[in-house]
Amino acid sequence: MVQRFFETDEPLMRAVLDWAFHRIVSGQDPITGARPADELEADLQNSIVADGIGGREALRRFTDVIVPATRAQDHHMNLAYVPAAPTPASLTFDLAVSAAEIFAGTWETGAGAIHAENQALAWLAELAGFGQGAGGTFVQGGTVGNLSALATARERARATRGQHRQRWAIASTSQAHSSVRSAARLLDVEVIGVEADERGRMTGQALRSTLAAAGDLVPFAVVATGGTTNAGIVDDLAGIGDVCEDTGVWMHVDGAYGLAAMAAPSARHRFDGIERADSFIVDPHKWLFAPYDCCALIYRDPGWATMAHAQKAEYLDQLDRSEWNPSDYAVQLTRRARGLPFWFSLATHGTTKYGEAVERGLRTAIDIANGIHAADHLSLVMEPDLSVVLFRRDGWSAEQMLEWSDRNATEGTVLIIPTSWKGTSVFRICIVSPDTRADAVLGVLDTMRDPA
Ligand SMILES: *Cc1c(COP(=O)(O)O)cnc(C)c1O
């Protein structure tokens, strides 16, 4: 071994790996979470000093102070926001991906890794019914995925419809994810609101009338949602596909959370019409059992993405542009091969097992919904499309709901956080883990019989 400038002793390296191994096998205590910065400063103390505090002490502060001040996202009783459920295989392999230090932005440096990532993307593209030419890349998350896709959509509009004096606009409903409005702000375009139906869905008809009434605005893209974050509702993709075909508007499907359910035979029909989309995203870090952070961004015709995203510079002149350079398809240049933990897990377990795991989450949501339906102190807001369940505790105020939620979070029983639906406070559950059990969740909901 060459003498290295930065030395790390082997026992320390093993201690770090042992901690990681133990975390993957045993998970994290659910009674952990955020703390105020002044408390953290007192406990963590100044860790950045001229002579270093040493690896052993830094590791101690990580295990004793840092990790306990984070939320156990992958705990099976964490049902808040969209939790996580990475497989042990994917988490372990993430360590290997780090160790391999692959620059996966360009083919020249990352070919093997990119090819494997592309196989995983091809499975998703095939589930959506996209043809052979489809492709894309893995980005950090749905936010970057949506932004990258919408930048591509505008590039196509500019190229095919010329520069307009009017303002470009994106059409979406109020149920679209906040990242869509954020992308519009960054792209400096407007958002035209499409009226959602009773269940919060965008229909083709509503989209058609909205586009017809756009006035001075020029709609270049519609963002349909394949599983809204708040209620798990899938828009009318087939109807939207018809309108996009007629109007030449780019159809983007934001399926960060819900498109995972394309892998479940019982839910696949909800996404009929997605084969007509120009692009879609799905986050394997949400419901495809991969670790943070990982979003699959796929284009039906990736050529437009290259026009929007390829970076040109003297030092990039030698790049082989005939091969697949992930940096050409999204807002990124340097990137880790963040799709590889997902690839490894999928390759290890197979697509059938993946489908079964998603089916389990869907089944759990139905069982919970049925249990809520049967309970006389609870009422279901609506039947779930996917694995988000909204319900009320009859007679409770928003404060009582929060109190119940806080108490159970502190005790580590369950993490269920209220949201709002049509202006009123309701409880919201989101299932992604195949290990979440309906009877366990219903057991906790039974405690809502008691006064808050
Ligand atoms: C979570 C989510 C996003 C944002 O994804 P990140 O990975 O958090 O950036 C976008 N759209 C939908 C529908 C989501 O559920």
Side-chain angles (χ1 to χ4, degrees):
M1 280 263 261
V2 208
Q3 187 73 18
R4 291 186 157 182
F5 182 80
F6 286 112
E7 286 273 19
T8 303
D9 63 280
E10 199 177 309
L12 173 63
M13 293 163 76
R14 289 201 184 278
V16 172
L17 293 174
D18 280 350
W19 182 87
F21 183 76
H22 187 257
R23 168 66 176 83
I24 292 169
V25 172
S26 312
Q28 181 176 328
D29 185 349
I31 312 180
T32 52
R35 297 171 61 198
D38 56 343
E39 278 184 39
L40 283 172
E41 185 60 25
D43 285 357
L44 191 58
Q45 300 172 307
N46 189 8
S47 40
I48 308 304
V49 293
D51 295 326
I53 58 173
R56 215 151 259 94
E57 175 57 14
L59 178 60
R60 187 196 68 74
R61 293 185 196 185
F62 175 72
T63 58
D64 295 0
V65 181
I66 297 175
V67 176
T70 63
R71 179 177 286 169
Q73 285 296 85
D74 51 344
H75 193 276
H76 60 277
M77 287 299 262
N78 179 341
L79 312 177
Y81 307 105
V82 181
T87 61
S90 69
L91 286 171
T92 312
F93 199 72
D94 204 26
L95 302 174
V97 174
S98 290
E101 184 65 355
I102 298 161
F103 183 104
T106 59
W107 186 263
E108 181 191 324
T109 49
I114 294 163
H115 192 71
E117 284 186 312
N118 287 351
Q119 287 188 349
L121 289 174
W123 176 61
L124 295 169
E126 192 188 312
L127 285 177
F130 276 19
Q132 283 297 316
T137 179
F138 288 98
V139 295
Q140 173 225 317
T143 300
V144 176
N146 284 336
L147 172 64
S148 300
L150 290 168
T152 299
R154 186 179 55 182
E155 196 69 20
R156 185 181 77 174
R158 277 179 176 158
T160 57
R161 302 206 231 166
Q163 302 286 341
H164 282 259
R165 298 185 72 98
Q166 293 98 327
R167 294 275 290 160
W168 294 113
I170 295 165
S172 71
T173 69
S174 61
Q175 298 299 303
H177 190 263
S178 49
S179 57
V180 174
R181 291 183 293 282
S182 151
R185 216 160 45 239
L186 291 169
L187 293 169
D188 190 25
V189 301
E190 304 294 324
V191 177
I192 313 182
V194 181
E195 190 78 43
D197 74 6
E198 261 300 285
R199 285 171 65 80
R201 290 171 97 216
M202 184 195 296
T203 61
Q205 204 176 14
L207 174 65
R208 198 180 291 279
S209 19
T210 304
L211 294 184
D216 281 349
L217 298 174
V218 184
F220 67 94
V222 52
V223 179
T225 311
T228 57
T229 320
N230 199 32
I233 297 302
V234 182
D235 286 343
D236 166 23
L237 301 183
I240 294 165
D242 286 341
V243 179
C244 289
E245 197 166 295
D246 293 348
T247 54
V249 169
W250 182 285
M251 175 176 172
H252 175 66
V253 180
D254 176 0
Y257 146 70
L259 272 181
M262 289 194 300
S266 76
R268 178 58 184 83
H269 67 97
R270 295 195 189 279
F271 306 103
D272 286 352
I274 189 168
E275 68 284 354
R276 322 254 296 276
D278 293 288
S279 56
F280 72 84
I281 61 154
V282 54
D283 281 358
H285 69 216
K286 283 183 168 167
W287 199 5
L288 288 171
F289 320 111
Y292 298 130
D293 40 24
C294 184
C295 166
L297 161 63
I298 300 182
Y299 300 96
R300 195 152 47 109
D301 177 1
W304 293 111
T306 312
M307 283 184 61
H309 295 292
Q311 297 190 23
K312 308 257 162 34
E314 293 80 354
Y315 47 84
L316 295 175
D317 279 351
Q318 304 312 315
L319 264 187
D320 182 353
R321 299 264 176 202
S322 66
E323 291 293 356
W324 200 264
N325 295 300
S327 59
D328 288 351
Y329 302 99
V331 186
Q332 59 184 3
L333 179 55
T334 301
R335 63 182 288 273
R336 71 192 258 102
R338 53 166 41 87
L340 279 190
F342 171 55
W343 164 82
F344 184 76
S345 181
L346 196 56
T348 300
H349 298 295
T351 55
T352 304
K353 186 111 177 168
Y354 255 65
E356 287 167 6
V358 178
E359 287 289 4
R360 269 211 194 204
L362 292 164
R363 185 71 242 170
T364 305
I366 292 171
D367 290 346
I368 292 173
N370 289 341
I372 289 169
H373 205 60
D376 47 20
H377 63 303
L378 306 174
S379 48
L380 197 61
V381 171
M382 61 183 159
E383 297 295 331
D385 268 6
L386 300 174
S387 69
V388 176
V389 183
L390 300 182
F391 64 99
R392 297 177 215 281
R393 161 42 167 105
D394 302 322
W396 273 6
S397 65
E399 291 69 39
Q400 286 172 301
M401 292 172 66
L402 268 181
E403 203 191 304
W404 184 93
S405 170
D406 285 348
R407 190 173 64 240
N408 281 277
T410 315
E411 290 169 0
T413 339
V414 76
L415 190 64
I416 295 179
I417 291 177
T419 183
S420 72
W421 178 253
K422 300 194 174 163
T424 63
S425 248
V426 300
F427 280 113
R428 175 181 174 281
I429 282 175
C430 177
I431 313 283
V432 292
S433 170
D435 298 323
T436 303
R437 296 178 42 152
D439 53 358
V441 176
L442 288 169
V444 201
L445 298 191
D446 220 43
T447 68
M448 289 187 184
R449 286 181 191 284
D450 314 332

